[in-house]
Structure formats: C-alpha cells, structure tokens
C-alpha cells in the first residue's frame, strides 16, 4: 500500500509547506502543517473553499491533542480514551499558536486522532499536527479512495498516499466541548447514544443551542452533493415518470423494480462505506435524476441521513 519511502517523501513535502492527501478511516484528508499559515492557505486554494469554514487538526495521540488546547476538560479525556483513534472530532478552546486561518477565526479548534495506519504513520513520522479537510473540491462529495482524490484535485495536491478504500465512508462525528454543555455539531457513524453513555449526559443538538455560543461554520453549505438531481423519496410513486433515472434502493425492497435500481446495503455501516463511491459513479452516468429511497429514521442512520439531506435537492421535508 504505502511504503516507508512514500511516508518520508510526504514528510519532506509537509515540512516545505506542501499538501499531502492521506487516507483516514472516514474519508481522505488534504493535509498541511497546521501551524504554518502559508501551507494552510494552500489547502483553501486547492479546494476553492471559503476561508470561513474551519479545518480539523489531526494529531497522532491524546497528548498531542491536549497540547493543541488551552483547556482540556475531563469529558474530553474520557471521550478520547474511549473513541480515539476513531471517527470523532472534538471542538475545544485552542492555543494561540494555531493560526486563525485553521479555525476560521474561531477561538476553538476541531481535533481528531484518525484510526488509519497510514494517517498515523504520517502524523508520527512528521511530528506535525496536520490540518486536513476532506480532499475534494468545495461542494463535491468527499473522496473515499485515492482515485477520487486524483479526480477531484489532480495536480493541486503534491502527493496522494493510497491507502485503499475508507472503512467508515462518511466524515467524522463533530462534538463541541467548548461551551457549558456538549453539542453535536455534525452527526457521524459514531452515534449520539455511544457519546452520551460515556459523557453521562444528553447531548444538545445544533438546532437547540444559540449559534453565537456554538459557531459551526461550514455546516450550512450544500455539501456532499452530486451534480445530478438527487430525489429523496419514501415510495416509488413520488419519482418522476419521465427522464432517465436510477433508484438507490435498499436491499430487500421489492416493489420498486419497474425503475432501474442500484442496490444499497440495508445495514447502516455497510451503507455509509459505499455511499460516496456510489454517488460518484451514478453521478458520472449522466442521468436526469437519481432516486433515493430514504433509509429508516433511526439513530444508527443519523449520520447517513444528515449527508443525504444535504445532498438531496427535493423532498427535504421527508427527512427526520
Ligand atoms: O472525517 C473527517 O472529519 C474528515 C477527515 C479528513 O478527518 N474531515 C472533514 O473535514 O470532514 P471537513 O473540513 O470537510 O469538515 C470539517 C467540519 C467543518 O466544516 C466544521 O463544520 C467542523 O468540522 N469544524 C471544524 N473545526 C471546527 C471548529 N473549530 N468549530 C466548529 N466546527 C468545526
Ligand atoms: Mg468536506
């Protein structure tokens, strides 16, 4: 997969302020030295991303994360011990050495230890915190293979480390511990209930708190979207009678078969793992529409339903 020589080359690029795309368990990240503002500026330029959307800082272990914060609450310690390395980003008060560009001017930083051997090898060998958003252009579906990164960013990235397909498949759960109560800023495959069990208290959701107290820029944009209209529906009757379309249908569903269908796993982990890959390949077919059978509105599907809601163009009211 990735050789020692490639890791060394990546470290050299990062030291000189360049960009390296690397695999994580969630999606591929576009990494730069987080404490080098010029390198971080290149990330925004490569993605054509507005600088108002903050970047997650990746580190190799809990100690390194703690050193990026001015306050490390007990809740952070417990969650980190339980879920890192893993698909959880913790938002905490930042140290002043982290450039404002990384956090879009916020006083808090998003931190994560990714559970991927290549990411951990890179973080350890470079001994640098790496600012890394998903390695796609702004508004595109996040990449889950090295090929996706190459298609999306081409020579805007200095090196792509190929670690195969991402095992989780959608972006990390983002939890803010910067205020007086924990707030779920972005759902993911690490579910709310698992977090609440460790915290011993319920999480507030973003729509229950004031945005002034819990700024979360970057979440309101229409992210994760294919170019083809994605129509989220509860039944076949809601799909267009005309145009060339395809329905992403959960395995085991029978009565929609008069439409061309693409099977989707009926188990959430398996669904998340293939979702962006399927969106990219179906999007490339040049259809008039993509139909999407809504998955169940149960907690295990929260992260997936969040991404589908952002990607879907119509019938958003059908989502939980
Ligand atoms: O799984 C992931 O999280 C991937 C991999 C590469 O780690 N990264 C990722 O990054 O999805 P990105 O930039 O596409 O999304 C990061 C989101 C931001 O849009 C924002 O909503 C939230 O995380 N975020 C980051 N830093 C924050 C901060 N300081 N305060 C509030 N929200 C923050
Ligand atoms: Mg992204």
């Amino acid at each position: 997969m990735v050789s020692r020589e490639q890791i060394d080359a990546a470290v050299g690029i990062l030291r000189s302020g360049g960009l390296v795309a690397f695999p994580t368990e969630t999606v591929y990240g576009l990494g730069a030295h987080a404490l080098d503002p010029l390198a971080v500026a290149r990330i925004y330029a490569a993605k054509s991303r507005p600088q108002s959307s903050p970047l997650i800082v990746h580190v190799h272990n809990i100690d390194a994360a703690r050193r990026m914060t001015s306050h490390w609450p007990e809740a952070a310690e417990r969650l980190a011990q339980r879920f890192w390395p893993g698909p959880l980003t913790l938002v905490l008060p930042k140290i002043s050495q982290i450039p404002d560009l990384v956090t879009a001017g916020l006083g808090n930083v998003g931190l994560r230890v990714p559970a991927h051997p290549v990411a951990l090898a890179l973080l350890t060998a470079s001994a640098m915190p790496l600012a890394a958003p998903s390695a796609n252009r702004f508004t595109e579906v996040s990449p889950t293979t090295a090929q996706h990164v190459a298609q999306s960013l081409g020579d805007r990235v200095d090196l792509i480390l190929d670690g195969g397909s991402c095992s989780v498949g959608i972006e990390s759960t983002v939890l803010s511990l910067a205020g007086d109560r924990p707030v779920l800023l972005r759902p993911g495959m690490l579910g709310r209930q698992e977090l609440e069990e460790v915290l011993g208290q319920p999480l507030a959701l973003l729509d229950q708190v004031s945005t002034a107290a819990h700024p979360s820029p970057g979440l309101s944009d229409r992210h994760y979207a294919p170019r083809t209209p994605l129509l989220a529906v509860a039944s076949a009757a809601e799909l267009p009678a005309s145009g060339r379309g395809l329905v992403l249908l959960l395995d085991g569903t029978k009565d929609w078969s008069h439409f061309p269908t693409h099977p989707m796993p009926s188990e959430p982990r398996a669904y998340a793992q293939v979702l962006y890959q399927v969106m990219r390949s179906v999007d490339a077919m040049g259809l008039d529409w993509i139909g999407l059978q809504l998955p169940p509105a149960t907690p295990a599907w929260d992260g997936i339903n969040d991404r589908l809601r952002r990607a879907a163009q119509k019938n958003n009211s059908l989502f939980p």
Side-chain angles (χ1 to χ4, degrees):
M1 284 220 298
V2 172
S3 65
R4 188 71 239 169
E5 288 70 29
Q6 284 174 294
I7 295 287
D8 292 343
V11 170
I13 290 166
L14 293 168
R15 283 208 182 112
S16 58
L19 301 181
V20 173
F22 60 93
T24 82
E25 79 280 33
T26 57
V27 301
Y28 274 71
L30 179 63
H33 185 0
L35 306 183
D36 176 349
L38 290 177
V40 173
R42 289 204 183 118
I43 293 178
Y44 288 98
K47 283 183 62 95
S48 309
R49 167 163 162 156
Q51 297 190 350
S52 56
S53 187
L55 308 177
I56 293 170
V57 173
H58 298 69
V59 289
H60 72 281
N61 65 20
I62 297 179
D63 278 339
R66 193 190 292 114
R67 287 197 295 272
M68 295 290 116
T69 66
S70 61
H71 176 57
W72 180 259
E74 209 244 310
E77 182 66 22
R78 265 189 285 145
L79 290 168
Q81 291 285 355
R82 175 70 182 79
F83 296 116
W84 281 353
L88 173 66
T89 296
L90 296 177
V91 173
L92 290 156
K94 78 176 185 77
I95 52 167
S96 58
Q97 289 90 328
I98 297 175
D100 283 343
L101 197 52
V102 170
T103 61
L106 300 173
N108 306 320
V109 60
L111 292 163
R112 167 166 124 76
V113 180
H116 194 291
V118 174
L120 289 172
L122 182 64
L123 289 163
T124 306
S126 68
M128 287 174 195
L130 296 180
S134 52
N136 53 284
R137 296 216 196 182
F138 185 59
T139 76
E140 281 180 355
V141 176
S142 291
T144 54
T145 66
Q147 290 71 33
H148 295 164
V149 180
Q151 283 158 16
S152 190
L153 295 175
D155 59 11
R156 292 174 167 222
V157 50
D158 298 307
L159 179 66
I160 302 172
L161 297 174
D162 185 348
S165 296
C166 300
S167 58
V168 174
I170 66 170
E171 302 83 350
S172 61
T173 304
V174 180
L175 178 71
S176 174
L177 296 175
D180 49 6
R181 56 197 287 213
V183 182
L184 185 65
L185 299 181
R186 180 173 73 183
M189 295 311 287
L190 179 59
R192 183 178 163 182
Q193 283 162 334
E194 288 166 277
L195 297 170
E196 288 177 339
E197 259 166 46
V198 173
L199 285 168
Q201 66 172 306
L203 297 183
L205 301 184
L206 204 45
D207 52 13
Q208 296 165 343
V209 294
S210 91
T211 49
H214 294 279
S216 55
L219 284 178
S220 52
D221 308 309
R222 205 174 74 86
H223 272 156
Y224 319 110
R227 288 183 304 269
T228 315
L230 185 68
L231 313 174
V233 298
S235 75
E238 298 162 52
L239 288 167
S242 62
R244 286 194 316 126
L246 182 73
V247 189
L248 306 183
L249 200 66
L250 293 166
D251 278 342
T253 312
K254 293 210 168 49
D255 51 347
W256 298 32
S257 46
H258 54 288
F259 286 107
T261 59
H262 182 96
M264 294 298 287
S266 55
E267 190 277 316
R269 281 178 202 285
Y271 190 107
Q273 197 173 32
V274 300
L275 176 61
Y276 290 158
Q277 164 81 60
V278 169
M279 275 200 200
R280 278 176 183 258
S281 57
V282 174
D283 201 18
M285 294 167 71
L287 300 167
D288 299 312
W289 51 267
I290 303 166
L292 174 77
Q293 180 192 13
L294 284 162
T298 56
W301 291 88
D302 278 351
I304 294 164
N305 279 325
D306 171 77
R307 304 310 187 277
L308 295 176
R309 183 188 307 117
R310 292 166 197 279
Q313 313 224 337
K314 280 191 186 171
N315 296 325
N316 278 3
S317 61
L318 290 171
F319 281 100

